[in-house]
Amino acid sequence: MALARRARLTAGLTAGASALLVAALLSGCGTSSKDAGEKDDPTKAAASTSAVPTNALDPAHAVSAPGRFDGTQYGDDLLLVSDETLPADVLKQIVGITVGTGKAQKKGIAAYDLLSYGNFSVENKLYNIAAVDAAKYRAFTGSRSAEFQEQWDRVAGGEIAIMDRLQKEIPVDGEGYVEVGKQRLHVGAWSPAEVDAIDAMVNEKWGETLGLPEDNAILINTGIASPQAVREVIEKRFGVKRFSITALDIVASEGLDLKAYQNVIPVGAFGDAVGVFRYRPIGGGRIAPDPGWVKAHIVTEQVPILGTVTCNRYMMPQLKAALAEVQASKLADKIHPDEYAGCYYPRFIAGSNKLSNHSFGLALDFNVPGNQRGTVGQMDRGVVAIFKRWGFAWGGDWAYTDPMHFELAKIVNPG
């Protein structure tokens, strides 16, 4: 990733608008002793950094420390995500958007930050991750997070910060590490950041290692312009499917934006099997994936023991090989075809707006009655061992067990 490109944070597109916006935010939040008039160039203030920390836990992934927080804050109104780096001409068009007409016309974007954005899977739940420049991004994360200096120093030092709302949900091993796309990252902080569409954040070097698309997302503050009006201009100019646009006030209220198309950009083993997964929530916990993605990825085929299944075509060779080995090992009677609960079903996990790997056809549930969530279950351990050899993770190993569940963890070529 070209780190120099990440130096661009346009904060306040006119000096007057910037001063008004900063003054309003600081008077409401009381986060700085500086007079807003002293901040005539918030971009320079946001870019203040110091040298790479000498005590970084992961020196190979360390970047310059962000320095002390200067009090600059912006709201988080919209998150726009593309499946590739935003071209310079497209970015220029977005940043230059205006809303209204005549004397009522105004700038649509008061401040923005570019992020590298993607998704990772942990225990059958999909989470959003962003590679950020801590010195700039912190201004959008709310006062508690922005002032949490240790968090930003640790992110700069090569650790991951995970939102504190997920502390009881995302498993961390005994040494304080979490697995992201088959990489182990040390959890440096449980973050109070308020950008609800981002579950975890790392620095730019980790973004490169994880394979996140460079600068493919833009976090937007619309200032005095209506976020909905800005979104409508973006969708009119680029089409509703060019980007996924999340209205962050809707996410924060735990609702679902039924108008929004969303992109899933996986890191790790799922990259080839998922590609870019585009969907739209349609209510009732269901989603509508892009028909082109379904046509390219989802197939119905015959497999040993279970019979006809509908799954992701990239998983099918491993699934067939695992079931064939179960059969050859005289363990076929340990899998009950009449207790198979399916592979591909595009919907959110019950009671949440998180996708599971079933949405991509990369997980299957069988022997359901005797293997309920939260139990040890009755799954034959010989069957489990075979599935693990063929690249599957087993839900019975999880902190909150799901012993009926197997999901693709790595690509294994049956040869």
Side-chain angles (χ1 to χ4, degrees), residues 54-328:
T54 57
N55 61 344
L57 183 69
D58 184 0
H61 287 97
V63 299
S64 297
R68 307 303 298 180
F69 180 51
D70 73 344
T72 303
Q73 291 190 58
Y74 309 102
D76 57 314
D77 295 314
L78 298 172
L79 178 67
L80 183 154
V81 180
S82 174
D83 58 2
E84 60 185 4
T85 298
L86 291 168
D89 61 326
V90 171
L91 180 62
K92 184 177 180 180
Q93 290 183 60
I94 293 170
V95 172
I97 280 174
T98 59
V99 297
T101 58
K103 293 182 178 179
Q105 189 178 62
K106 51 184 170 286
K107 294 285 186 180
I109 296 178
Y112 74 90
D113 190 18
L114 287 169
L115 314 172
S116 299
Y117 188 89
N119 312 91
F120 67 101
S121 176
V122 177
E123 295 192 352
N124 196 36
K125 287 185 179 179
L126 203 69
Y127 298 95
N128 308 318
I129 186 169
V132 306
D133 180 334
K136 301 176 179 67
Y137 176 71
R138 68 194 302 177
F140 295 82
T141 65
S143 59
R144 284 198 308 142
S145 175
E147 295 170 356
F148 185 7
Q149 186 65 37
E150 184 178 4
Q151 164 184 250
W152 304 109
D153 289 341
R154 285 178 172 265
V155 168
E159 299 177 71
I160 186 172
I162 302 176
M163 301 309 104
D164 55 10
R165 66 181 183 274
L166 301 174
Q167 193 164 357
K168 295 182 179 179
E169 185 174 321
I170 292 185
V172 177
D173 67 22
E175 297 179 318
Y177 286 81
V178 65
E179 193 170 273
V180 178
K182 296 306 168 186
Q183 298 285 341
R184 290 179 75 241
L185 284 82
H186 190 266
V187 180
W190 294 100
S191 173
E194 298 172 5
V195 183
D196 291 273
I198 294 174
D199 298 316
M201 52 193 177
V202 294
N203 68 32
E204 296 154 300
K205 283 192 176 180
W206 262 120
E208 291 177 349
T209 298
L210 292 172
L212 295 174
E214 179 187 356
D215 292 352
N216 67 317
I218 177 171
L219 180 62
I220 293 171
N221 168 251
T222 62
I224 61 174
S226 159
Q228 181 59 31
V230 173
R231 174 178 174 169
E232 288 174 358
V233 173
I234 293 173
E235 291 180 338
K236 183 176 180 180
R237 184 169 299 179
F238 296 101
V240 296
K241 293 186 177 182
R242 174 64 176 83
F243 310 108
S244 71
I245 304 178
T246 300
L248 295 171
D249 57 339
I250 293 177
V251 175
S253 65
E254 298 184 356
L256 288 174
D257 190 348
L258 299 183
K259 296 180 180 179
Y261 286 87
Q262 299 295 331
N263 286 339
V264 173
I265 305 167
V267 300
F270 295 124
D272 292 336
V274 175
V276 175
F277 179 81
R278 194 166 179 78
Y279 71 94
R280 184 170 60 86
I282 55 176
R286 297 170 298 140
I287 66 171
D290 176 68
W293 185 92
V294 176
K295 183 177 181 180
H297 290 80
I298 301 301
V299 296
T300 299
E301 295 182 4
Q302 285 286 127
V303 301
I305 305 174
L306 293 175
T308 300
V309 300
T310 300
C311 298
N312 192 302
R313 70 167 66 247
Y314 292 89
M315 187 181 77
M316 203 65 87
Q318 290 171 231
L319 177 58
K320 289 178 179 178
L323 290 169
E325 185 174 338
V326 169
Q327 204 167 43

Side-chain angles (χ1 to χ4, degrees), residues 124 342-346 356-365 405-406:
N124 196 36
C343 179
Y344 171 64
Y345 40 94
S356 81
N357 289 323
H358 286 287
S359 296
F360 317 123
L362 294 174
L364 67 159
D365 298 332
H405 181 93
F406 292 85

Side-chain angles (χ1 to χ4, degrees), residues 325-365:
E325 185 174 338
V326 169
Q327 204 167 43
S329 301
K330 310 298 185 186
L331 295 173
D333 63 332
K334 304 300 183 182
I335 295 178
H336 311 143
D338 58 334
E339 296 175 357
Y340 170 66
C343 179
Y344 171 64
Y345 40 94
R347 60 182 302 114
F348 293 110
I349 295 170
S352 78
N353 57 8
K354 295 287 186 188
L355 295 179
S356 81
N357 289 323
H358 286 287
S359 296
F360 317 123
L362 294 174
L364 67 159
D365 298 332

